[in-house]
Amino acid sequence: MPHPKYIFITGGVVSSLGKGLTAASLGTLLEKRGLKVTLQKFDPYLNVDPGTMSPFQHGEVYVLDDGAETDLDLGHYERFTSAPLSKRNNLTTGQVYETVLMKERRGDYLGKTVQVIPHVTDEIKKRIREVAAESKCDVIMTEIGGTTGDIEGLPFLEAIRQFALEVGPENALFMHVTLIPYIKAAGELKSKPTQQSVAKLREIGIQPHILICRTEYPLDRDTRQKLSMFCNVQIDAVIEEMDVNHSIYEVPLMLEREKLDDLVCKHLRIENPKGDMSDWQSFIANLIAPKHRINLAVVGKYIEHQDAYKSIYESLVHAGGALATGVEITKIDSEDIESEGAAKFLEGMDGILVPGGFGSRGTEGKIMAAQFAREHKIPYLGLCLGMQIGVIEFCRNVLGLRDAHSTEFNEKSPHPVIALMNEQHDVVDKGGTMRLGSSPCHLVEGTKVREAYGQPVIDERHRHRYEVNNAYRARMEENGLTIAGTSPDGKLVEVIELKDHPWFVACQYHPEFKSKPNAAHPLFMGFVKAALAQH
Ligand code: GLN
């Protein structure tokens, strides 16, 4: 293709419409047509990255290979496409201002008054070009976080308006994801909120080419016509996106039925023929009619928040799909285990998963869950903090080291079995200072983990500060805990497993960031298989 094509995705009416999912799904359809696609997210908040935000605020913090801590929409992008993503693919207002102010201090603006237009908008446009240059993709999709009408989103909208003008109409497309509410009393779908949000966009100078209408009920002809006329969008560009019945992985198929990819290609003068979606279809078929069912417990402290463990839930779905197994997830607050005991919640479960986390609240409950899994031989998967919990439990209850703990939770523990890495001792800043991103891990021959991966060296993503304390390794190994994987120099413990247990596996890294619907992650596969055997 002579020129990369640019697709901009905005959102109207309310947040949480699944813009990221919609963008990612269009990415799937375009990739299936043989196009190289990448996706980028602009977040209007002032944090430099979401790494310092609580999962209660913002859901999961997603981590890329290069160690960037990003918005969870980048997780959708990676699960739905093979887009090459780096820290450039997530830009926040905080980053934009950080850069602009640094340039101002350095004198780069040569005495000019520094302003939102052009200096801030130039910085935003530069980021789009950088992603285009770095990724060498045919199509660059840029999603603008937030809702049209937000004050903080304005500089981003102004920047994409200018950008589209610069690259020309056949190279840029605006797609607006909006809500069509259903009013029960009137028995009607309502188009007015969308008309108003499109009016807001047009005020800034953006005329969307496509409306993606999130709706509980099918869009009737009348509603489509109204939306077309009042929003100044061709009628065949009014796309219905209903709530899915079974799984988010249905969204690409739903959008394909609405001919979204045809429309996009026509507008952008892309001639690649339709792709083959049969692998995607068969994955969905497995999800819809599973042959087996299992019940898994996820024991965490952010369980009320839908999105806090997003990638973990998705990875379980991927493994379930691959094994034709319906995975029922019971979310358990570890503080409830502390007050009422593990048995009440965990008896009868086919598997127990303890995810990552920070801060001491709820850790004792997680330790009780790990103990329950070990003693009752229930398959266990521990991720990051979930591995540290497994180690603490083993040291306390098998090695008999009373009060063994992580120094994150008890600095004065007589047995600091999890402790700070040397290079972390003097770090005071919180943002971006953990061990972050992808690094290699060597697996030990003859372990369950080595068998699950089918290869001796793996690369996995990290996001943590604390490590297994090497002073306790020998004692653990002598008593039935296997160090199944370490950093190449052998100094950092990456994976542990228990000898006398069907599947007690825990890792310091985050396998959930590398699982895909048609390529379920080996550790989730192993865990679901073991849970199935348990069932
Ligand atoms: N709080 C732990 C650490 O910093 C675990 C982090 C995590 O689970 N992501 O090491």
Side-chain angles (χ1 to χ4, degrees), residues 93-343:
T93 298
Q95 279 171 41
V96 175
Y97 278 90
E98 198 184 32
T99 315
V100 168
L101 293 176
M102 201 181 62
K103 286 185 175 172
E104 186 273 336
R105 291 289 86 181
R106 223 168 40 201
D108 289 7
Y109 296 117
L110 304 174
K112 289 206 185 76
T113 308
V114 181
Q115 293 177 300
V116 172
I117 306 172
H119 302 103
V120 165
T121 48
D122 277 356
E123 210 49 58
I124 297 169
K125 289 190 289 178
K126 192 170 129 229
R127 184 58 82 90
I128 306 172
R129 279 196 203 91
E130 280 171 0
V131 164
E134 184 181 85
S135 68
K136 300 190 182 58
C137 281
D138 306 315
V139 183
I140 320 296
M141 300 172 72
T142 305
E143 177 193 345
I144 319 299
T147 309
T148 308
D150 294 346
I151 292 176
E152 48 184 21
L154 282 173
F156 289 104
L157 295 176
E158 169 60 16
I160 61 173
R161 180 195 69 75
Q162 293 175 16
F163 194 95
L165 192 70
E166 288 163 21
V167 297
E170 72 278 15
N171 295 319
L173 177 137
F174 291 106
M175 199 164 98
H176 191 55
V177 183
T178 178
L179 176 72
I180 313 296
Y182 179 78
I183 302 298
K184 239 198 226 135
E188 268 177 37
L189 288 168
K190 291 294 183 190
S191 67
K192 185 80 81 197
T194 299
Q195 295 176 34
Q196 281 169 346
S197 87
V198 169
K200 266 266 171 266
L201 273 181
R202 285 158 64 183
E203 231 170 67
I204 306 159
I206 293 174
Q207 167 64 55
H209 304 100
I210 297 176
L211 288 180
I212 307 276
C213 303
R214 297 283 292 105
T215 168
E216 276 177 76
Y217 294 93
L219 292 185
D220 52 82
R221 187 82 202 156
D222 258 15
T223 311
R224 285 186 195 250
Q225 249 151 7
K226 240 192 200 159
L227 284 164
S228 162
M229 189 173 71
F230 285 107
C231 300
N232 197 29
V233 167
Q234 296 284 329
I235 186 138
D236 64 349
V238 176
I239 301 285
E240 165 191 294
E241 187 184 331
M242 299 251 290
D243 297 343
V244 285
N245 292 326
H246 302 280
S247 144
I248 54 169
Y249 300 103
E250 291 170 65
V251 176
L253 299 173
M254 199 153 73
L255 294 176
E256 189 194 28
R257 278 195 296 275
E258 283 283 296
K259 301 192 168 54
L260 174 65
D261 51 326
D262 288 341
L263 201 67
V264 166
C265 289
K266 192 170 140 209
H267 179 98
L268 293 172
R269 321 261 157 92
I270 295 172
E271 275 157 20
N272 296 34
K274 257 198 169 338
D276 172 16
M277 295 294 290
S278 53
D279 61 336
W280 206 269
Q281 273 151 351
S282 57
F283 174 73
I284 303 282
N286 266 350
L287 286 187
I288 294 177
K291 295 197 182 69
H292 323 278
R293 283 198 184 277
I294 54 169
N295 221 319
L296 300 179
V298 172
V299 181
K301 76 169 172 186
Y302 313 116
I303 42 133
E304 313 93 277
H305 195 296
Q306 273 249 34
D307 285 338
Y309 303 123
K310 184 91 201 150
S311 295
I312 295 175
Y313 298 146
E314 292 310 318
S315 303
L316 290 171
V317 170
H318 304 160
L323 297 164
T325 298
V327 178
E328 209 61 61
I329 298 175
T330 308
K331 302 172 183 176
I332 298 165
D333 190 328
S334 55
E335 285 184 296
D336 291 340
I337 293 188
E338 286 170 15
S339 51
E340 294 172 65

Side-chain angles (χ1 to χ4, degrees), residues 355-359 383-386 388 408-409 418 434 463-467 508 510:
F358 296 84
L383 307 176
C384 206
L385 178 64
Q388 300 174 354
E408 178 180 3
F409 312 126
I418 306 289
M434 283 183 265
R463 181 171 186 256
H464 67 114
R465 276 198 180 83
Y466 295 81
E467 297 282 353
Q508 188 58 77
H510 290 272

